[in-house]
Amino acid sequence: MMRLFSLMVLGFVCMQPAFAASDAAWTHYGGDAGGMRYSPAEEITPENVDQLIRAWVYRTGELQTRSPKALRQMKWQTTPVLHGDSLYLCTPFNIVIAIDPGTGAERWRFDPKIETDDVNPANRFNCRGVAVWVDPTRGRDAACAVRVFTGTNDARVIALDAGTGSPCADFGRNGEVKIVPSTPLLWQGEYQITSAPTVLSGVVVVGSAIGDNQRVAAPFGTVHAFDARSGVVRWTYDPVPRDANDTRTATWGEGWKDTGHANVWAPMSADEARGLLFMPTSSPSPDFFGGLRPGDNHHANSVVAIKAKTGVVQWAYQIVHHDVWDYDLPAQPTLTTLTLDDGPRDVVIQGTKQGLVFVLDRDTGVPVFPVEERAVPQGGVVGEVLSPTQPFPAHVPALVPDKLAPGDAFGLTPWDRIACGKLIAGARSEGLYTPPSEQGTILFPFTGGGINWGGVAFDPERQMLFANTSRVAHLITLFKAQDFKRLDKQFPNREVSPQKGAPFGMIRDPVLGSLAPLPCNQPPWGVLAAVDLKEGKIVWEATLGTLEEYTLGLLALPWGTPTLGGPVVTKGGVLFIGASMDRYLRAFDVQTGRELWQGRLPATGQATPMTYEWKGQQFVVIAAGGYPDAGVIAPNDTLVAFRLPQPGEAGPSLWSRAIDRPGGRGRAALILISLLAAIGCVWIVLRRRYIRVRRD
């Protein structure tokens, strides 16, 4: 039963709206164009949040229409947006849906009909969100005056009329444009669009998600910008220089000629006043060997600010030099204003897989707080050319530990602790940025974070940052390229990747115990933290998640779980988050970190929730899609909305409040079993007495 836990670790110009909208709307994937994940809604407070009830439930119907194979490959990580009188969202299979914000009733749906069955098992179906744009040149009632943009798993960008769901015929060809990757794909789904598009200055901009570790000459990570009306390409941007005259080529050796990736797979942010887009770029291909691209590889693993109208780079700040750890930038850059001693400062906040938080000036990209170049472990494999230093924030503390020693080993049994200690002792484990090796290297935190695509939330009134992090490790083992076929056949249940074109392939394993396969590092494995950026301190931490799903609900062990999804913070003083590997949407007090409420979900919620006000009431909505990669958590297609009871409406019962808490079903099962056992004992006693009386 616990073995399945290992699978979970491995799996790891917005214009004036056409309709009057509440100030507490949720108009973009990240709440606002800058991705703060903050809502001014304040009806729900720490004092009343435990009274939340289900407002409505919406089912997309995917469970009934997709094959079991396709469902096993889906990840429903969508965050809806509210525009006008509709919520807009997408399913993992790119169906775009409009629903009523107050009732959850479906208004329309559009199916782009992507291929879902004849696909490579490595493929994953995902769509994290859509974007809504108002065309200021068209009348309110004109067709496609308000457009919903979405990207697809088969690399199309589609424009739909927000009122009807019909394709906008003037955009591209019949409402869509097709992106052609730079090289033929190894499998359908090697190149996808999974994050919500960004619309600014009349252009719609999309990045891409590209399959990792298959080859050096992988598809280019080019960002595409299309005219929001016509679909004509306005500009493209490739983080890897493709011109010998580009000054960045000096930081790439000869690798700039054919290296792929450095793509933008996470959401982008937009500054409407400055006309700037902020892009989090990823690592070049392949992830774990960089000897063919010697140098820092400028613009990879960077926050890049680009003029939306022209595609001209204004500045770029590199977070990781010469990445060989898959420490790409996974999260949307967060745009906000800090109140500092010398006055307000517009900044960009970037969370990282390493659990580091960088704060950059929005106009220049210069760090607002000190960042130090510190020496990091050296001694890579033959042919590797490592950077001797890496940037570390010196003011804002790291949100996760970054070194795993044999003495830190955890295990549910003494045998597991001994096995974990030996595993760690047998690998290179010298702290953050220990290079990959043939011996095996511990990556802590693992390649799923620290902070992942859920990003951070920022409360501009309290000036507090909130982030959920995962605390587990990977073991990365390099092998000679010629051994790939043998090892791939030898280890069919492990991740064995060729990194074709490089002298080394790669095996990536979770660092787990053997008898009870839990992470070898000490819990908690999922943590929610509040950070005072100005003071440079962690204000509080709270464990996030339980192992309830892995113990049949009998043990809600409070050790946390790896998390996928992000937090939402409100003016009312409540933070909402799903993300954990149990079936709850949780609420925390933003001041203290105290857990205030848990809302039971039909499946795990590996999505960032959203909140909005509608007709005087505050709603909180999350997609509960399950997490098939974790084995025990079946896929689901349910969108769940919560709200406070209306006047005269009953709140949650004492029974539901008890049963919906973590471990509640396990406790109820034990109570029921105990009652049945007691009844059985009484029946046996009475039966024996009855028989004795009959005999007498």
Side-chain angles (χ1 to χ4, degrees):
M1 174 172 55
M2 299 292 287
R3 171 62 61 181
L4 295 172
F5 189 82
S6 64
L7 298 176
M8 175 266 293
V9 179
L10 258 177
F12 273 17
V13 128
C14 215
M15 302 297 178
Q16 180 66 28
F19 303 93
S22 166
D23 290 337
W26 194 273
T27 56
H28 297 73
Y29 168 79
D32 67 305
M36 277 201 297
R37 293 170 181 79
Y38 168 80
S39 170
E42 52 185 334
E43 182 191 14
I44 300 171
T45 68
E47 290 70 35
N48 63 22
V49 67
D50 65 346
Q51 292 298 305
L52 286 176
I53 59 174
R54 282 193 182 185
W56 48 260
V57 171
Y58 172 78
R59 302 290 300 273
T60 69
E62 299 279 37
L63 293 186
Q64 287 73 45
T65 58
R66 304 294 176 181
S67 69
K69 177 183 177 182
L71 292 175
R72 286 193 300 270
Q73 294 172 273
M74 66 170 259
K75 294 182 178 180
W76 200 25
Q77 299 172 344
T78 192
T79 299
V81 298
L82 173 65
H83 183 92
D85 63 352
S86 292
L87 287 176
Y88 299 97
L89 62 136
C90 55
T91 76
F93 306 101
N94 298 123
I95 295 177
V96 181
I97 301 169
I99 62 177
D100 185 290
T103 66
E106 182 178 306
R107 292 207 161 108
W108 56 256
R109 64 169 47 208
F110 172 81
D111 186 354
K113 300 187 184 305
I114 66 170
E115 177 60 54
T116 62
D117 291 326
D118 185 22
V119 293
N120 189 292
N123 195 33
R124 289 293 181 268
F125 298 106
N126 194 3
C127 180
R128 295 196 180 94
V130 301
V132 180
W133 176 69
V134 179
D135 186 344
T137 67
R138 301 193 182 199
R140 169 175 169 172
D141 297 325
C144 290
V146 182
R147 301 186 176 205
V148 178
F149 288 102
T150 188
T152 67
N153 288 277
D154 56 6
R156 287 178 282 165
V157 181
I158 299 173
L160 305 173
D161 184 283
T164 65
S166 300
C168 297
D170 56 351
F171 183 83
R173 184 175 181 179
N174 298 322
E176 66 178 52
V177 293
K178 173 71 174 177
I179 295 175
V180 179
S182 62
T183 188
L185 302 182
L186 297 178
W187 73 89
Q188 181 179 323
E190 184 187 13
Y191 184 102
Q192 302 171 294
I193 304 171
T194 55
S195 289
T198 302
V199 190
L200 182 64
S201 301
V203 296
V204 54
V205 187
V206 294
S208 57
I210 305 174
D212 288 338
N213 303 314
Q214 297 304 305
R215 48 182 170 161
V216 172
F220 294 170
T222 307
V223 175
H224 293 80
F226 303 96
D227 186 282
R229 298 181 185 88
S230 67
V232 172
V233 176
R234 292 274 290 271
W235 52 262
T236 60
Y237 162 70
D238 190 339
V240 181
R242 304 297 176 185
D243 182 346
N245 296 319
D246 192 315
T247 57
R248 290 178 294 152
T249 58
T251 69
W252 286 83
E254 294 295 308
W256 61 271
K257 295 180 179 179
D258 57 6
T259 294
H261 293 189
N263 48 306
V264 179
W265 64 268
M268 306 175 205
S269 297
D271 183 323
E272 299 170 13
R274 290 173 170 83
L276 287 177
L277 290 166
F278 297 87
M279 302 180 178
T281 66
S282 74
S283 48
S285 62
D287 285 337
F288 298 101
F289 181 79
L292 303 178
R293 45 177 171 84
D296 282 352
N297 306 150
H298 282 181
H299 286 207
N301 300 84
S302 301
V303 181
V304 182
I306 288 183
K307 286 287 187 182
K309 287 185 177 180
T310 63
V312 173
V313 175
Q314 177 150 319
W315 57 259
Y317 183 84
Q318 191 170 58
I319 301 291
V320 181
H321 309 318
H322 189 83
D323 185 11
V324 291
W325 304 274
D326 194 17
Y327 281 155
D328 51 18
L329 271 59
Q332 180 180 25
T334 301
L335 310 185
T336 192
T337 301
L338 291 181
T339 303
L340 304 177
D341 291 339
D342 57 355
R345 187 86 170 268
D346 290 345
V347 301
V348 182
I349 301 170
Q350 183 64 56
T352 72
K353 289 183 176 180
Q354 305 91 292
L356 305 176
V357 178
F358 290 81
V359 183
L360 310 175
D361 183 274
R362 207 180 304 176
D363 290 310
T364 65
V366 173
V368 172
F369 304 118
V371 173
E372 299 172 349
E373 288 285 338
R374 298 176 186 168
V376 294
Q378 297 294 293
V381 292
V382 174
E384 186 58 87
V385 185
L386 299 167
S387 172
T389 64
Q390 293 289 348
F392 288 81
H395 175 71
V396 181
L399 301 187
V400 297
D402 62 7
K403 190 172 184 179
L404 188 57
D408 302 326
F410 171 84
L412 202 60
T413 68
W415 299 274
D416 281 308
R417 285 195 294 274
I418 293 170
C420 282
K422 287 182 178 179
L423 190 158
I424 297 167
R428 290 194 64 177
S429 185
E430 299 148 37
L432 196 59
Y433 301 119
T434 302
S437 63
E438 292 181 87
Q439 174 185 349
T441 292
I442 300 291
L443 260 65
F444 187 53
F446 77 146
T447 60
I451 297 170
N452 209 305
W453 54 263
V456 304
F458 187 80
D459 185 331
E461 295 197 10
R462 298 175 181 87
Q463 292 282 290
M464 295 280 287
L465 177 141
F466 304 90
N468 55 294
T469 59
S470 299
R471 299 182 178 185
V472 291
H474 267 146
L475 177 68
I476 303 298
T477 307
L478 299 184
F479 57 82
K480 299 292 193 301
Q482 59 266 29
D483 293 333
F484 168 69
K485 289 185 178 180
R486 175 179 63 83
L487 293 173
D488 187 41
K489 184 177 181 179
Q490 182 179 349
F491 302 116
N493 296 320
R494 296 169 67 184
E495 182 184 358
V496 182
S497 297
Q499 302 194 138
K500 185 178 180 181
F504 295 94
M506 177 277 300
I507 299 176
R508 175 165 43 188
D509 295 304
V511 181
L512 304 172
S514 53
L515 294 179
L518 297 172
C520 281
N521 56 290
Q522 296 285 337
W525 301 308
V527 173
L528 178 65
V531 182
D532 184 325
L533 292 181
K534 179 181 176 181
E535 298 298 325
K537 66 179 183 181
I538 297 174
V539 178
W540 54 257
E541 291 184 332
T543 299
L544 185 58
T546 72
L547 299 185
E548 180 176 323
E549 298 301 324
Y550 303 91
T551 61
L552 299 180
L554 298 178
L555 295 175
L557 297 172
W559 291 342
T561 70
T563 61
L564 286 172
V568 167
V569 64
T570 70
K571 184 178 180 179
V574 180
L575 180 146
F576 292 99
I577 186 167
S580 62
M581 299 295 170
D582 55 11
R583 304 182 189 212
Y584 298 97
L585 175 66
R586 289 178 165 87
F588 291 83
D589 187 312
V590 301
Q591 299 286 9
T592 66
R594 183 169 65 94
E595 189 172 322
L596 302 169
W597 169 82
Q598 305 87 16
R600 182 74 176 176
L601 301 173
T604 57
Q606 268 68 60
T608 301
M610 51 91 73
T611 184
Y612 57 90
E613 287 182 352
W614 183 253
K615 295 184 178 179
Q617 280 204 301
Q618 182 180 351
F619 291 77
V620 184
V621 176
I622 187 169
Y627 197 67
D629 282 357
V632 301
I633 306 172
N636 205 294
D637 63 353
T638 307
L639 194 71
V640 184
F642 296 91
R643 60 166 172 78
L644 293 172
Q646 297 177 353
E649 186 178 14
S653 67
L654 290 176
W655 171 254
S656 67
R657 291 169 66 180
I659 199 73
D660 285 346
R661 294 183 66 85
R665 279 159 174 75
R667 288 189 292 271
L670 290 174
I671 291 171
L672 181 59
I673 291 170
S674 299
L675 287 174
L676 291 174
I679 292 171
C681 290
V682 170
W683 184 85
I684 291 172
V685 170
L686 293 176
R687 176 71 174 170
R688 286 178 176 175
R689 288 184 179 179
Y690 173 74
I691 293 173
R692 201 173 291 128
V693 169
R694 290 284 300 270
R695 286 175 178 173
D696 293 342

Coordinates of all heavy atoms in Angstrom, one line a residue, residues 616-661:
G616 N -22.7 39.6 -4.2 CA -22.6 39.9 -2.7 C -22.0 38.7 -1.9 O -21.9 38.9 -0.7
Q617 N -21.7 37.6 -2.6 CA -21.1 36.5 -1.8 C -19.7 36.1 -2.3 O -19.4 36.3 -3.5 CB -22.0 35.3 -1.9 CG -23.2 35.3 -1.0 CD -23.7 33.9 -0.7 OE1 -24.1 33.2 -1.6 NE2 -23.7 33.5 0.6
Q618 N -18.9 35.7 -1.4 CA -17.5 35.3 -1.8 C -17.5 33.8 -2.0 O -18.0 33.0 -1.2 CB -16.5 35.6 -0.7 CG -15.1 35.2 -1.1 CD -14.1 35.6 0.0 OE1 -14.4 36.3 1.0 NE2 -12.8 35.1 -0.2
F619 N -17.0 33.3 -3.1 CA -16.9 31.9 -3.5 C -15.4 31.6 -3.5 O -14.5 32.4 -3.9 CB -17.5 31.6 -4.9 CG -19.0 31.7 -4.9 CD1 -19.6 33.0 -5.0 CD2 -19.8 30.6 -4.9 CE1 -21.0 33.1 -5.0 CE2 -21.2 30.7 -5.0 CZ -21.8 31.9 -5.0
V620 N -15.1 30.3 -3.2 CA -13.8 29.7 -3.4 C -13.9 28.5 -4.2 O -14.7 27.6 -3.9 CB -13.1 29.4 -2.0 CG1 -11.7 28.9 -2.2 CG2 -13.1 30.6 -1.1
V621 N -13.1 28.4 -5.3 CA -13.3 27.3 -6.3 C -11.9 26.6 -6.5 O -10.9 27.3 -6.6 CB -13.8 27.9 -7.6 CG1 -13.9 26.8 -8.7 CG2 -15.2 28.6 -7.4
I622 N -12.0 25.3 -6.6 CA -10.8 24.5 -6.9 C -11.2 23.3 -7.8 O -12.2 22.7 -7.6 CB -10.1 24.0 -5.6 CG1 -8.7 23.4 -6.0 CG2 -11.0 23.1 -4.8 CD1 -7.9 23.1 -4.8
A623 N -10.2 23.0 -8.7 CA -10.4 21.8 -9.5 C -9.8 20.6 -8.8 O -8.7 20.6 -8.3 CB -9.7 22.0 -10.8
A624 N -10.7 19.6 -8.6 CA -10.2 18.4 -7.9 C -10.1 17.3 -8.9 O -11.0 16.6 -9.3 CB -11.3 17.9 -6.8
G625 N -8.9 17.2 -9.5 CA -8.6 16.3 -10.6 C -7.9 15.0 -10.2 O -7.7 14.1 -11.1
G626 N -7.6 14.8 -8.9 CA -6.8 13.7 -8.6 C -5.4 13.7 -9.1 O -5.0 14.7 -9.7
Y627 N -4.7 12.7 -8.9 CA -3.3 12.6 -9.3 C -2.9 11.2 -9.7 O -2.4 10.5 -8.9 CB -2.3 13.2 -8.3 CG -1.0 13.6 -8.8 CD1 -0.9 14.6 -9.7 CD2 0.2 12.9 -8.5 CE1 0.4 15.0 -10.2 CE2 1.4 13.2 -9.0 CZ 1.5 14.3 -9.8 OH 2.7 14.6 -10.4
P628 N -3.3 10.8 -10.9 CA -3.0 9.4 -11.3 C -1.6 8.9 -11.1 O -1.4 7.7 -10.9 CB -3.5 9.4 -12.8 CG -4.4 10.5 -12.9 CD -3.9 11.6 -12.0
D629 N -0.6 9.8 -11.3 CA 0.8 9.4 -11.1 C 1.0 8.8 -9.7 O 2.0 8.1 -9.5 CB 1.7 10.6 -11.3 CG 1.9 10.9 -12.8 OD1 1.3 10.1 -13.6 OD2 2.6 11.9 -13.2
A630 N 0.2 9.2 -8.7 CA 0.4 8.7 -7.4 C -0.2 7.3 -7.2 O 0.0 6.8 -6.1 CB -0.2 9.7 -6.4
G631 N -0.9 6.8 -8.1 CA -1.3 5.4 -8.0 C -2.7 5.3 -7.3 O -3.6 4.8 -7.9
V632 N -2.7 5.7 -6.0 CA -4.0 5.5 -5.3 C -5.0 6.6 -5.5 O -6.1 6.4 -5.1 CB -3.7 5.3 -3.8 CG1 -2.7 4.2 -3.5 CG2 -3.1 6.7 -3.2
I633 N -4.6 7.6 -6.1 CA -5.5 8.8 -6.3 C -6.0 8.8 -7.7 O -5.4 9.3 -8.6 CB -4.7 10.1 -5.9 CG1 -4.1 10.0 -4.5 CG2 -5.7 11.3 -6.0 CD1 -3.2 11.1 -4.2
A634 N -7.2 8.3 -7.8 CA -7.8 8.1 -9.1 C -8.1 9.5 -9.8 O -8.4 10.5 -9.1 CB -9.1 7.3 -9.0
P635 N -8.1 9.6 -11.1 CA -8.5 10.8 -11.8 C -9.9 11.2 -11.5 O -10.8 10.4 -11.3 CB -8.2 10.5 -13.3 CG -8.4 9.0 -13.4 CD -7.8 8.5 -12.1
N636 N -10.1 12.5 -11.6 CA -11.5 13.0 -11.4 C -11.7 14.3 -12.3 O -10.7 14.8 -12.8 CB -11.7 13.4 -9.9 CG -13.1 13.4 -9.5 OD1 -13.9 14.2 -9.9 ND2 -13.5 12.5 -8.6
D637 N -12.9 14.7 -12.4 CA -13.2 15.8 -13.3 C -14.1 16.8 -12.6 O -15.0 17.4 -13.3 CB -13.8 15.3 -14.6 CG -15.1 14.6 -14.4 OD1 -15.5 14.4 -13.3 OD2 -15.8 14.3 -15.4
T638 N -14.0 17.0 -11.3 CA -14.9 17.8 -10.6 C -14.3 19.2 -10.2 O -13.2 19.3 -9.7 CB -15.3 17.1 -9.3 OG1 -15.8 15.8 -9.6 CG2 -16.4 17.8 -8.6
L639 N -15.1 20.2 -10.4 CA -14.8 21.6 -10.0 C -15.8 21.9 -8.8 O -17.0 21.7 -8.9 CB -15.1 22.6 -11.1 CG -14.5 24.0 -10.9 CD1 -13.0 24.0 -11.0 CD2 -15.1 25.0 -11.9
V640 N -15.2 22.2 -7.6 CA -16.0 22.4 -6.4 C -15.9 23.9 -6.0 O -14.8 24.5 -5.9 CB -15.4 21.5 -5.3 CG1 -16.3 21.6 -4.1 CG2 -15.4 20.0 -5.8
A641 N -17.0 24.4 -5.6 CA -17.1 25.8 -5.1 C -17.7 25.8 -3.7 O -18.6 25.1 -3.4 CB -18.1 26.6 -6.0
F642 N -17.1 26.6 -2.8 CA -17.5 26.8 -1.4 C -17.9 28.2 -1.2 O -17.4 29.1 -1.8 CB -16.4 26.4 -0.5 CG -15.9 25.0 -0.5 CD1 -14.9 24.6 -1.4 CD2 -16.5 24.0 0.3 CE1 -14.5 23.3 -1.4 CE2 -16.1 22.7 0.2 CZ -15.1 22.3 -0.6
R643 N -18.9 28.4 -0.2 CA -19.3 29.7 0.2 C -19.9 29.6 1.6 O -20.1 28.5 2.1 CB -20.3 30.3 -0.8 CG -21.6 29.5 -0.9 CD -22.7 30.2 -1.5 NE -23.9 29.4 -1.8 CZ -24.8 29.0 -0.9 NH1 -24.7 29.4 0.4 NH2 -25.8 28.3 -1.3
L644 N -20.1 30.8 2.2 CA -20.8 30.8 3.5 C -22.3 30.6 3.3 O -22.8 30.9 2.3 CB -20.5 32.1 4.2 CG -19.0 32.4 4.6 CD1 -18.9 33.8 5.1 CD2 -18.6 31.4 5.7
P645 N -23.0 30.1 4.3 CA -24.4 29.9 4.2 C -25.1 31.2 4.1 O -24.7 32.2 4.6 CB -24.8 29.2 5.5 CG -23.5 28.7 6.1 CD -22.4 29.5 5.6
Q646 N -26.2 31.2 3.3 CA -27.0 32.4 3.2 C -27.9 32.5 4.4 O -28.1 31.5 5.1 CB -27.8 32.3 1.9 CG -27.0 32.3 0.6 CD -27.8 32.1 -0.6 OE1 -29.0 31.9 -0.6 NE2 -27.2 32.2 -1.8
P647 N -28.5 33.7 4.6 CA -29.4 33.9 5.8 C -30.5 32.8 5.8 O -31.2 32.6 4.7 CB -30.0 35.3 5.6 CG -28.9 36.0 4.9 CD -28.3 35.0 3.9
G648 N -30.7 32.1 6.9 CA -31.7 31.1 7.0 C -31.3 29.7 6.5 O -32.0 28.8 6.6
E649 N -30.1 29.6 5.9 CA -29.6 28.4 5.4 C -28.7 27.7 6.4 O -27.9 28.4 7.1 CB -28.7 28.6 4.1 CG -28.3 27.4 3.4 CD -27.5 27.7 2.1 OE1 -27.1 28.9 1.9 OE2 -27.3 26.8 1.3
A650 N -28.8 26.4 6.6 CA -28.1 25.7 7.6 C -26.6 25.6 7.2 O -26.2 25.5 6.0 CB -28.6 24.3 7.7
G651 N -25.7 25.8 8.2 CA -24.3 25.6 8.0 C -23.9 24.2 8.1 O -24.8 23.3 8.1
P652 N -22.6 23.9 8.1 CA -22.2 22.5 8.2 C -22.6 21.8 9.5 O -22.5 22.5 10.5 CB -20.6 22.6 8.1 CG -20.3 24.0 8.5 CD -21.5 24.8 8.1
S653 N -23.0 20.6 9.4 CA -23.4 19.9 10.6 C -22.1 19.5 11.4 O -21.0 19.5 10.9 CB -24.1 18.6 10.3 OG -23.3 17.7 9.6
L654 N -22.3 19.2 12.7 CA -21.2 18.8 13.6 C -20.6 17.5 13.0 O -19.4 17.3 13.0 CB -21.7 18.6 15.0 CG -22.1 19.8 15.8 CD1 -22.6 19.5 17.2 CD2 -20.9 20.8 15.9
W655 N -21.5 16.6 12.5 CA -21.0 15.4 11.9 C -20.1 15.6 10.7 O -19.0 15.1 10.6 CB -22.1 14.4 11.6 CG -21.7 13.2 10.8 CD1 -21.9 13.0 9.5 CD2 -21.0 12.1 11.3 NE1 -21.4 11.8 9.1 CE2 -20.8 11.2 10.2 CE3 -20.5 11.8 12.6 CZ2 -20.1 10.0 10.4 CZ3 -19.8 10.5 12.7 CH2 -19.6 9.7 11.6
S656 N -20.6 16.5 9.8 CA -19.8 16.7 8.6 C -18.5 17.4 8.9 O -17.4 17.2 8.3 CB -20.6 17.6 7.6 OG -20.8 18.9 8.1
R657 N -18.5 18.3 9.9 CA -17.3 19.0 10.3 C -16.3 18.1 10.9 O -15.1 18.2 10.8 CB -17.6 20.2 11.3 CG -18.3 21.3 10.6 CD -18.9 22.3 11.6 NE -17.8 23.0 12.3 CZ -18.0 23.9 13.3 NH1 -19.3 24.2 13.6 NH2 -17.0 24.5 13.9
A658 N -16.8 17.0 11.6 CA -15.9 16.0 12.2 C -15.4 15.1 11.1 O -14.2 14.8 11.1 CB -16.6 15.3 13.3
I659 N -16.2 14.6 10.3 CA -15.9 13.6 9.3 C -15.0 14.2 8.2 O -14.2 13.5 7.6 CB -17.1 13.0 8.7 CG1 -16.8 11.6 8.0 CG2 -17.8 13.9 7.7 CD1 -16.5 10.5 9.0
D660 N -15.1 15.5 7.9 CA -14.4 16.1 6.8 C -13.0 16.6 7.2 O -12.2 17.0 6.4 CB -15.2 17.3 6.2 CG -16.3 16.8 5.4 OD1 -16.4 15.6 5.0 OD2 -17.2 17.7 5.0
R661 N -12.6 16.4 8.5 CA -11.3 16.8 8.9 C -10.4 15.6 8.5 O -10.8 14.5 8.4 CB -11.2 17.0 10.4 CG -12.0 18.2 10.8 CD -11.8 18.4 12.3 NE -10.5 18.8 12.7 CZ -10.0 20.0 12.6 NH1 -10.8 21.0 12.2 NH2 -8.7 20.3 12.9

